[in-house]
């Protein structure tokens, strides 16, 4: 009985770190499923070697050391994930064509609940949300793996340079140098925004109007909500569109099958998101089509990132695989 109780206690202690470790691995890898695999590998390694953990560091530090090594091993192939906007320029609507690229090309969305642990400090929570936004995670992909780890540990998780040096078996000077280079690269590849605060009333009303416009397929109303330079991406397709004219033009041409859809609110990457259900072509109700991750800035929608591989994303987000017709 004692051994069973001890095992249960170890399980509980390890599981208590799962969400924050998943957030760390997701920032490192840019993939929802690879991050969860990395964390599972980390916890299994920790379980098998728990008797060797002598308490010379905290359990949390030890787990981050294991997770970092797992991620660095996974990143050795040099493959980095991207958004459509990172690979090509925008496609004019007249030339729009849907060309899919392999799954491992793309930066993937992640439900907030799997990567953002509950914290009491609003400033800490804001930094956590900002650091899982698609644009930030995409910018991280431009960093060499060890620089990526240093920047996340120092800037996002607020570890001391000495703690990071110990974790990576290097010197404080090396950590500081890596952080300086990482900051410079990040500045070149992504203009960082202010830390993300919870939605205010104006933003909530903007999203309510967006749902009404999308479900009503009212392009005039939608145009009024989109920034003039808004972008629309649709992984696994490399096509991306810029400007409300091309976005709405696509929606009434190639994307016309989305008319009559329904949206269900969720959250992803620290930002508002919606599960997009299209009318069921084979009967009543609505079927999964995409997870939309929404960017908002200065009172307008600046990004619609539509992840179309519904069989992958809807189970990850815990979303139903069908909506009844009376949802309308």
């Amino acid at each position: 009985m004692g051994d069973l109780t001890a095992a249960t206690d170890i399980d509980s202690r390890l599981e208590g770190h799962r969400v924050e470790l998943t957030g760390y691995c997701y920032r490192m890898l840019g993939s929802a499923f690879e991050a969860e695999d990395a964390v599972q590998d980390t916890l299994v390694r920790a379980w098998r070697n728990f008797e060797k953990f002598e308490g010379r560091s905290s359990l949390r530090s030890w787990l981050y050391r294991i997770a970092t090594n797992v991620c660095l091993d996974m990143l050795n192939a040099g493959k980095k994930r991207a958004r459509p906007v990172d690979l090509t320029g925008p496609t004019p609507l007249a030339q729009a064509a849907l060309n899919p690229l392999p799954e491992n090309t793309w930066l993937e969305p992640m439900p907030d609940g799997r990567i953002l642990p509950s914290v009491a400090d609003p400033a800490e929570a804001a930094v956590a949300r900002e650091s899982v936004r698609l644009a930030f995670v995409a910018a991280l992909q431009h960093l060499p793996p060890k620089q990526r780890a240093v920047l996340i540990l120092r800037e996002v998780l607020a570890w001391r340079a000495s703690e990071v040096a110990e974790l990576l078996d290097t010197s404080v000077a090396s950590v500081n140098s890596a952080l300086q280079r990482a900051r410079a690269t990040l500045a070149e590849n992504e203009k960082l925004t202010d830390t993300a605060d919870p939605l205010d009333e104006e933003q909530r009303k903007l999203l309510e109007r967006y749902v009404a416009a999308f479900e009503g397929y009212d392009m005039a109303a939608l145009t009024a909500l989109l920034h003039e330079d808004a972008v629309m991406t649709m992984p696994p397709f490399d096509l991306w569109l810029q400007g409300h004219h091309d976005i709405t033009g696509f929606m009434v041409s190639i994307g016309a099958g989305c008319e009559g859809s329904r949206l269900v609110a969720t959250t992803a990457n620290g930002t508002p998101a919606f599960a997009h259900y299209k009318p069921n072509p084979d009967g009543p109700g609505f079927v999964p089509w995409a997870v939309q991750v929404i960017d908002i800035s200065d009172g307008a929608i600046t990004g619609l990132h539509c992840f179309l591989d519904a069989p992958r994303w809807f189970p990850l987000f815990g979303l139903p695989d069908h909506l009844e017709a009376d949802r309308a």
Side-chain angles (χ1 to χ4, degrees):
M1 180 64 75
D3 288 347
L4 180 60
T5 301
T8 302
D9 179 58
I10 294 171
D11 277 341
S12 177
R13 291 176 66 189
L14 295 178
E15 280 296 322
H17 295 276
R18 181 180 289 273
V19 174
E20 66 168 316
L21 288 171
T22 305
Y24 175 62
C25 293
Y26 173 69
R27 295 176 183 100
M28 286 288 291
L29 301 170
S31 164
F33 298 100
E34 287 181 3
E36 297 208 323
D37 287 347
V39 171
Q40 193 59 33
D41 190 2
T42 296
L43 297 181
V44 168
R45 292 188 192 190
W47 170 264
R48 288 175 177 167
N49 294 283
F50 200 81
E51 72 281 359
K52 299 177 185 176
F53 171 59
E54 299 171 349
R56 287 177 295 184
S57 63
S58 71
L59 176 61
R60 181 172 183 253
S61 298
W62 185 58
L63 290 172
Y64 270 94
R65 175 189 285 268
I66 299 171
T68 300
N69 289 331
V70 169
C71 289
L72 292 178
D73 287 345
M74 293 174 74
L75 289 166
N76 273 343
K79 182 73 177 173
K80 63 181 182 183
R81 290 176 177 264
R83 304 166 297 169
V85 297
D86 301 319
L87 301 182
T88 65
T91 304
L93 178 60
Q95 300 171 22
L98 299 178
N99 303 308
L101 293 180
E103 168 273 320
N104 64 2
T105 305
W106 303 116
L107 186 69
E108 297 179 344
M110 193 62 152
D112 283 3
R114 290 179 179 262
I115 50 174
L116 294 178
S118 298
V119 294
D121 182 354
E124 186 180 341
V127 170
R129 284 195 302 274
E130 185 68 26
S131 66
V132 295
R133 290 194 172 200
L134 289 172
F136 186 85
V137 179
L140 289 174
Q141 305 301 301
H142 292 277
L143 301 176
K146 283 197 174 179
Q147 283 186 31
R148 203 179 304 178
V150 167
L151 186 127
I152 296 166
L153 291 166
R154 291 282 285 117
E155 301 280 83
V156 177
L157 300 176
W159 285 40
R160 294 192 298 271
S162 58
E163 294 173 319
V164 179
E166 183 179 352
L167 183 146
L168 293 174
D169 292 322
T170 188
S171 66
V172 169
S174 177
V175 166
N176 289 336
S177 175
L179 179 60
Q180 190 173 10
R181 294 196 305 274
R183 284 171 172 165
T185 302
L186 214 61
E188 291 173 8
N189 288 284
E190 180 56 37
K191 189 175 182 180
L192 300 182
T193 59
D194 294 334
T195 52
D197 295 317
L199 292 177
D200 59 29
E201 187 63 24
E202 180 183 347
Q203 291 169 326
R204 282 194 290 269
K205 288 180 178 177
L206 175 69
L207 291 170
E208 289 172 4
R209 293 196 296 273
Y210 170 71
V211 171
F214 192 95
E215 292 188 346
Y217 233 60
D218 182 340
M219 294 301 117
L222 190 59
T223 296
L225 304 175
L226 295 174
H227 190 278
E228 62 181 359
D229 292 325
V231 301
M232 182 179 185
T233 67
M234 292 162 280
F237 301 115
D238 59 359
L239 167 75
W240 65 280
L241 302 161
Q242 185 167 38
H244 48 63
H245 180 271
D246 278 3
I247 292 172
T248 55
F250 179 89
M251 290 176 65
V252 297
S253 55
I254 297 174
C258 291
E259 185 169 0
S261 292
R262 294 293 175 262
L263 299 181
V264 175
T266 183
T267 56
N269 296 84
T271 59
F274 295 98
H276 173 187
Y277 292 82
K278 285 176 67 170
N280 183 1
D282 301 316
F286 304 86
V287 292
W289 180 247
V291 169
Q292 300 181 1
V293 182
I294 310 295
D295 291 334
I296 297 174
S297 184
D298 298 326
I301 292 173
T302 55
L304 295 173
H305 306 290
C306 306
F307 294 88
L308 300 180
D309 193 354
R312 281 170 64 79
W313 306 127
F314 277 58
L316 181 72
F317 279 77
L319 294 161
D321 59 8
H322 184 83
L323 283 187
E324 299 301 329
D326 60 10
R327 165 68 176 80

